[in-house]
Amino acid sequence: MPVRWRSPKKHTGTPADLVVVGLGNPGDEFAGSRHNVGAEALEVLAARHGQSLGKSREAALVAEIRVDGRRVVLALPQTFMNKSGEAVRALVRRWSIVEHLDRLVVIHDELDLPPGRIKVKHGGGLAGHNGLRSIKAHLHTAEFTRIRIGVGKPPDPKAGADYVLKRPGRADRELLADAVERAADAASALLEAPVDAVMNSFN
């Protein structure tokens, strides 16, 4: 029987105002693939604030930034996609948002959206995404905010895994590059406005 994670009774330190996680697979062989667009958006956010991501004990590359006095944590799990929840669980504990999961934002690829479309969503289904499934399994809830970057459906529905692990062609790559920038914009907007307002602006 798997061991259920239980949050500690007390958390020390002030909770982060936002923890933004970009999903992807580590390693050069996965860079530029459809599955790594969430990680790309996270790297864009870090670059915009002049920060580099450093190793942490949470199995993630992390940068902590200040935006108008608020603490924002940017994190890139170094687990493979289907084990993303291991890193996310550790991150929400370290930055004391176990009881504030509305402050967790996960950026990820989405087969159910056309290439280049982004959509902000809070809670709901997982659409078969292995990274989200792992996060839900470790946090025991899906009530966190997602920024979904559309990568489109594969020509063969049975080839989804191969499709997301491949690099897109030039036309889709241009669409995805723009979507990555807008996903970073949406993550920043979540500091300034409630999720419903950000959804109205970006969806």
Side-chain angles (χ1 to χ4, degrees):
M1 177 182 293
V3 177
R4 284 180 62 86
W5 170 63
R6 295 179 180 177
S7 62
K9 293 181 180 179
K10 279 190 170 183
H11 301 285
T12 57
T14 304
D17 292 286
L18 209 64
V19 175
V20 185
V21 177
L23 296 189
N25 283 313
D28 291 342
E29 66 267 37
F30 299 109
S33 68
R34 294 177 177 90
H35 224 15
N36 275 41
V37 290
E40 289 180 28
L42 195 284
E43 291 169 340
V44 165
L45 272 173
R48 286 181 181 179
H49 292 276
Q51 295 291 324
S52 57
L53 299 163
K55 291 182 180 179
S56 74
R57 62 180 180 270
E58 289 77 27
L61 299 178
V62 174
E64 183 175 333
I65 62 176
R66 294 274 176 172
V67 180
D68 296 330
R70 287 165 291 185
R71 296 171 70 210
V72 180
V73 177
L74 308 178
L76 192 62
Q78 293 300 283
T79 55
F80 282 99
M81 182 71 82
N82 62 353
K83 294 187 176 181
S84 299
E86 296 176 8
V88 173
R89 177 181 66 183
L91 290 163
V92 301
R93 292 181 71 175
R94 178 177 176 184
W95 275 277
S96 302
I97 65 164
V98 172
E99 307 299 333
H100 307 276
L101 288 180
D102 57 317
R103 302 185 188 187
L104 173 63
V105 179
V106 177
I107 313 176
H108 64 91
D109 59 302
E110 178 63 67
L111 288 170
D112 288 338
L113 293 175
R117 172 92 184 275
I118 77 162
K119 202 166 187 178
V120 180
K121 175 183 179 182
H122 184 81
L126 308 180
H129 194 285
N130 287 334
L132 297 180
R133 184 183 291 121
S134 176
I135 293 170
K136 181 180 179 181
H138 282 83
L139 299 185
H140 307 297
T141 180
E143 291 304 306
F144 51 87
T145 299
R146 307 90 179 271
I147 300 175
R148 306 156 69 200
I149 301 176
V151 297
K153 291 184 180 293
D156 180 357
K158 297 179 181 178
D162 289 338
Y163 177 78
V164 294
L165 293 176
K166 289 181 179 177
R167 294 178 177 88
R170 180 179 297 179
D172 279 1
R173 180 68 259 178
E174 291 177 357
L175 291 171
L176 293 178
D178 180 65
V180 161
E181 296 285 342
R182 286 185 287 114
D185 293 341
S188 297
L190 286 165
L191 263 180
E192 307 294 335
V195 64
D196 288 348
V198 177
M199 289 168 61
N200 288 336
S201 296
F202 285 89
N203 290 3

